[in-house]
Amino acid sequence: MSSFSGGGDEPSAAEWVVTLVSVAVTLLLFGYVAWHAATTPAGADPIATVVETEATDDGRLAATVSVDNPGSQGLESVTVAVDCANESLTFDHVPTDAERSGTVVCPAGTDDPEATVERWIVA
């Protein structure tokens, strides 16, 4: 004879409900993880462009550079090179779907500068 009182070997209705809910939650959790793993988009690379140029009083060219982060992860930093200057611009904290801009001064005689993303660090 069993020392438990509860009457018989059959599980109660409450035990069945708890078991079914537990199984459903577990299956939903594993399904969510599998779906998320299968559909995670690839991170898009940041894009750098020269959005505006303006001649300065001393004949040089001020180039406004923009960096855009179309990816699905924020970026801790993005380094952009402009082909007319020996300098690079580093933009800190560029969130997803965000844009940052800065200015580089190019030497006199520069016609059409181009910007290139050199490297980036994912946050």
Side-chain angles (χ1 to χ4, degrees):
M1 178 163 212
S2 173
S3 62
F4 295 108
S5 62
D9 293 325
E10 287 293 317
S12 68
E15 290 174 320
W16 276 111
V17 169
V18 169
T19 301
L20 290 175
V21 169
S22 298
V23 169
V25 168
T26 302
L27 289 175
L28 287 171
L29 179 64
F30 281 118
Y32 173 77
V33 169
W35 171 79
H36 193 45
T39 61
T40 300
D45 296 347
I47 302 165
T49 54
V50 175
V51 292
E52 181 182 16
T53 57
E54 183 178 332
T56 63
D57 292 338
D58 58 359
R60 297 186 296 169
L61 188 70
T64 302
V65 177
S66 174
V67 66
D68 180 36
N69 179 14
S72 60
Q73 293 181 314
L75 302 175
E76 187 174 316
S77 70
V78 180
T79 302
V80 176
V82 180
D83 63 356
C84 68
N86 290 332
E87 300 178 19
S88 297
L89 290 174
T90 300
F91 299 94
D92 294 325
H93 182 65
V94 183
T96 58
D97 294 325
E99 190 175 303
R100 298 284 188 261
S101 62
T103 303
V104 171
V105 178
C106 299
T110 302
D111 288 329
D112 191 21
E114 292 187 21
T116 310
V117 175
E118 290 185 325
R119 62 186 164 273
W120 63 92
I121 299 172
V122 176

